[in-house]
Amino acid sequence: MVTLFEPLALRGVTLKNRIVVSPMCQYSSVDGFATDWHLVHLGSRAVGGAGLIISEAAAVSPEGRISPDDLGIWKDEHLPMLQRINAFITDQGSVPGIQLAHAGRKASTYSSWRGEGYVPENEGGWVPVGPSAIEFAPNYGAPQALDAAGIQKVIADFRAAAARSLAAGFQVIELHAAHGYLLHEFLSPLSNHRTDEYGGSFENRIRLLLEVVAATREVWPEELPLIVRISVTDWTEGGWNGDESVQLSAMLKVRGVDLIDCSTGGNVPKAPIPVGPGYQVQFAERIKQETGILTGAVGLITTPAEAEAILANGQADVVLLAREFLREPYFPLFAARELGVEMSWPVQYERAKPREVAPAGQR
Ligand SMILES: Cc1cc2nc3c(=O)[nH]c(=O)nc-3n(C[C@H](O)[C@H](O)[C@H](O)COP(=O)(O)O)c2cc1C
């Protein structure tokens, strides 16, 4: 039995396998609009057989973009192209998901191949917001600390983006509460020095995320799954940590969240992260074991055998691959072959499907 290709039911949505395209910014949008690049990029992974494809961090507001080139879902005009992409993904038997995000104090930065650090306002940048006026790194702008009205706007923006995600045909939402972006910044004492009800104690630091989850669930139908991506640890003394992540995950489980996508880091520049094959799997395993919620493992999972072992050992319920999917958009098709599983190929490609070589007399 190969666990990687067992379907997974999440509420009313069934993934045909447990291989997930991890969200990956493409920095190929203007004013938040998806383009032909997104259609081909995401569409290729659907042709390649992924069970779930999570579109890159989509900003819930213009000021929530990491860079001016980010995907967005803050206005209805964004929807037609997203609908087209999602129709294609769905036609291929994959499930379209979206990562809803606010970049917080790490907003208004250059996209990776255009520069480094903060984009000044005279070049199309903006003043980022965060829990406290503490900059991420010296080449980032100091954020403006959100006031009470600003926090309410963030919650309302996530709610509206969730409603638009439904209209766009997405079947899964992942809330981005990892990698040092706004929701993670509130969780971590390193970036959150607030003295109101959104800072200080654990209960106060998680409040914004719980309120965003509740607002999302208000408009996101009961039969559709909700995922939260967290950075399980800041890898830094005095930062957000694994124990808090376990406690938070248990609370999310009873608040309508179906799966925790377990990443790490991103809130501290140059944190000592022991990067290596499957280095974050341990966190997905711990949260799954200690809370009973479904988890996703991500981070340097690159071979079918590694992916299968993680699931077969009960360390996670899905695997998310990012860079390997950029190298090999058809990863699931080839993983099936390598693991000896029969998987249907798109009919258009059927003639190229690898088969056992027939004995000479039968060719
Ligand atoms: C080009 C690129 C863009 C990324 N953009 C996002 C993103 O939008 N949201 C997110 O949560 N993670 C993002 N990530 C992180 C990946 O989703 C993933 O967690 C990380 O790359 C580790 O997985 P991997 O070793 O399989 O690449 C990005 C990674 C890459 C390589």
Side-chain angles (χ1 to χ4, degrees), residues 55-324:
S55 300
E56 71 200 74
V60 299
S61 59
E63 66 277 14
R65 290 172 296 173
I66 302 168
S67 81
D69 317 307
D70 281 25
L71 186 66
I73 187 158
W74 65 80
K75 53 184 175 184
D76 292 346
E77 289 79 359
H78 289 144
L79 297 186
M81 190 60 183
L82 295 172
Q83 286 161 345
R84 182 176 169 207
I85 295 168
N86 290 339
F88 181 83
I89 292 174
T90 308
D91 267 2
Q92 307 309 311
S94 292
V95 171
I98 183 166
Q99 187 183 54
L100 298 183
H102 189 305
R105 66 176 179 165
K106 287 169 77 173
S108 188
T109 61
Y110 287 104
S111 47
S112 46
W113 62 86
R114 290 191 176 89
E116 219 180 283
Y118 188 57
V119 182
E121 280 176 81
N122 62 6
E123 281 185 41
W126 57 94
V127 178
V129 296
S132 305
I134 307 166
E135 62 192 10
F136 170 69
N139 58 344
Y140 281 67
Q144 212 165 57
L146 283 165
D147 60 14
I151 289 180
Q152 287 310 308
K153 178 182 181 300
V154 167
I155 296 167
D157 287 342
F158 271 98
R159 185 192 289 109
R164 272 188 213 102
S165 302
L166 183 66
F170 289 105
Q171 290 179 269
V172 172
I173 285 180
E174 174 173 281
L175 297 174
H176 198 351
H179 301 170
Y181 297 115
L182 186 71
L183 298 177
H184 179 185
E185 291 162 18
F186 270 80
L187 298 179
S188 173
L190 300 174
S191 40
N192 182 349
H193 291 188
R194 299 179 75 92
T195 52
D196 63 1
E197 70 267 40
Y198 290 94
S201 65
F202 170 79
E203 284 68 27
N204 283 355
R205 283 180 281 119
I206 66 169
R207 189 179 308 281
L208 176 60
L209 175 55
L210 296 189
E211 290 181 353
V212 167
V213 165
T216 302
R217 266 284 165 224
E218 275 168 29
V219 297
W220 189 240
E222 179 107 23
E223 64 273 16
L224 295 182
L226 179 60
I227 296 176
V228 175
R229 171 169 270 197
I230 57 172
S231 282
V232 177
T233 171
D234 282 336
W235 296 107
T236 303
E237 196 60 39
W240 178 256
N241 61 47
D243 292 342
E244 291 180 312
S245 287
V246 168
Q247 220 182 320
L248 170 68
S249 300
M251 296 171 77
L252 293 175
K253 187 179 175 208
V254 296
R255 285 168 169 78
V257 173
D258 303 293
L259 189 143
I260 305 292
D261 174 2
C262 300
S263 191
T264 69
N267 201 27
V268 176
K270 302 197 177 92
I273 305 180
V275 177
Y279 69 107
Q280 295 176 145
V281 174
Q282 54 175 312
F283 300 109
E285 181 177 16
R286 178 173 176 203
I287 287 178
K288 182 175 164 59
Q289 278 178 359
E290 294 188 23
T291 69
I293 196 167
L294 301 180
T295 60
V298 65
L300 281 177
I301 301 166
T302 56
T303 69
E306 284 166 349
E308 171 59 16
I310 291 163
L311 302 184
N313 294 337
Q315 294 172 291
D317 300 281
V318 299
V319 288
L320 297 99
L321 280 64
R323 286 163 292 182
E324 191 54 29

Side-chain angles (χ1 to χ4, degrees), residues 20-28 37-38 41-42 45 53-58 66 70-71 99 113 174 176 179 229 298 320-329:
V20 180
V21 177
S22 198
M24 279 180 280
C25 287
Q26 298 297 296
Y27 305 119
S28 299
W37 175 262
H38 297 91
H41 164 68
L42 298 167
R45 274 91 202 149
I53 299 174
I54 306 181
S55 300
E56 71 200 74
I66 302 168
D70 281 25
L71 186 66
Q99 187 183 54
W113 62 86
E174 174 173 281
H176 198 351
H179 301 170
R229 171 169 270 197
V298 65
L320 297 99
L321 280 64
R323 286 163 292 182
E324 191 54 29
F325 256 120
L326 297 187
R327 296 178 199 110
E328 179 46 272

